[in-house]
Amino acid sequence: MSLFRLHKTDVIGLIRPSVDAHTLGVSTVANLLEECGYKVVIGDANVAAAVAEISKLDNVGFFFNWIEKNRITVLGFSYRLDPQQAQLNFGKVLYQLRSRNMFVNNRGKIRRLFFAGLPEACQLIRREYKGEIEVFIGDETPVETLKKIGVPEFNIPNAVIEGSAYDDQRWEFAKNLIVEQKYLAVQPANRSGYNGFGTFSDNIMNRVT
């Protein structure tokens, strides 16, 4: 688990390139963080377009103006399409951030950068940056997600913790079903005796009556 810790004064910016229409995960994380009392800013369509072609000078300026205007201190990047393109686009964004001294170790304001994507993309990012970038593959529970982002447990509402515990129990139940394979002994009911079974006159009414 990450040693990084969010401050209540942090502003979390969530971005994705415009070619990726997957927004549910971004919205879910934003809602979780807001439940914990943090300010979250999701990049709109203009930001997404700029991120998609971040190498263009106008897009770089627009993107950094958005960061400055919203006083963003933590940045999350989501890309759930092709892993190689995810690695390439993320690398370009990171390069621009570093080259313009946007991180705190260069007297900038960005304290942390995260990546969310498909498992293969996360492996590529983890390998290229030697674990420096925290990654999210999408199977994390709400509490795991918040802790990896850096939310202290005392800032996580009980409702989120309890809901996550329920999800853990359901996952454990499903995993035991698969491991024990008892379902293999359950045979489906034979419903082949009705009139017209397997013929061109077969129909849904005959099957259910």
Side-chain angles (χ1 to χ4, degrees):
M1 201 62 67
S2 173
L3 297 178
F4 175 79
R5 286 291 176 266
L6 285 179
H7 300 155
K8 277 295 186 176
T9 55
D10 278 316
V11 178
I12 301 97
L14 301 178
I15 60 172
R16 61 175 180 82
S18 55
V19 294
D20 186 354
H22 296 87
T23 60
L24 180 59
V26 172
S27 299
T28 299
V29 170
N31 290 336
L32 283 172
L33 286 166
E34 287 172 346
E35 283 189 62
C36 296
Y38 295 95
K39 182 178 179 181
V40 181
V41 181
I42 299 177
D44 62 15
N46 293 326
V47 174
V51 170
E53 297 187 81
I54 196 64
S55 298
K56 294 183 177 180
L57 187 59
D58 288 347
N59 289 342
V60 172
F62 180 84
F63 178 53
F64 288 133
N65 284 338
W66 176 76
I67 291 176
E68 293 289 342
K69 177 183 176 181
N70 292 285
R71 299 182 179 180
I72 289 168
T73 57
V74 176
L75 200 57
F77 179 100
S78 176
Y79 194 115
R80 300 199 65 80
L81 296 176
D82 180 75
Q84 282 71 36
Q85 286 300 316
Q87 181 184 24
L88 179 62
N89 200 169
F90 178 81
K92 289 180 178 180
V93 171
L94 179 56
Y95 170 79
Q96 296 294 347
L97 290 168
R98 284 176 169 170
S99 65
R100 285 164 174 74
N101 299 323
M102 296 292 286
F103 289 102
V104 290
N105 57 351
N106 286 315
R107 298 184 179 180
K109 297 294 179 63
I110 302 295
R111 300 180 57 230
R112 191 72 165 175
L113 176 64
F114 300 99
F115 174 85
L118 298 175
E120 184 181 344
C122 288
Q123 290 176 4
L124 292 172
I125 296 297
R126 189 181 289 116
R127 187 181 307 126
E128 179 173 356
Y129 301 105
K130 305 185 188 326
E132 175 189 350
I133 304 296
E134 190 76 72
V135 298
F136 299 80
I137 66 175
D139 67 348
E140 298 86 0
T141 67
V143 170
E144 286 174 339
T145 297
L146 291 171
K147 286 184 176 180
K148 285 178 71 173
I149 292 174
V151 178
E153 188 165 350
F154 57 78
N155 279 340
I156 303 176
N158 287 334
V160 174
I161 293 174
E162 292 168 1
S164 188
Y166 174 67
D167 289 339
D168 290 343
Q169 291 170 1
R170 290 194 303 165
W171 170 249
E172 190 65 25
F173 174 74
K175 184 172 67 175
N176 289 338
L177 283 179
I178 295 172
V179 171
E180 294 172 359
Q181 297 189 338
K182 291 181 179 179
Y183 61 91
L184 296 176
V186 180
Q187 298 300 316
N190 185 353
R191 304 187 186 279
S192 62
Y194 60 86
N195 292 332
F197 172 75
T199 69
F200 285 109
S201 63
D202 198 347
N203 59 68
I204 188 66
M205 292 302 296
N206 288 342
R207 294 178 209 172
V208 299
T209 56

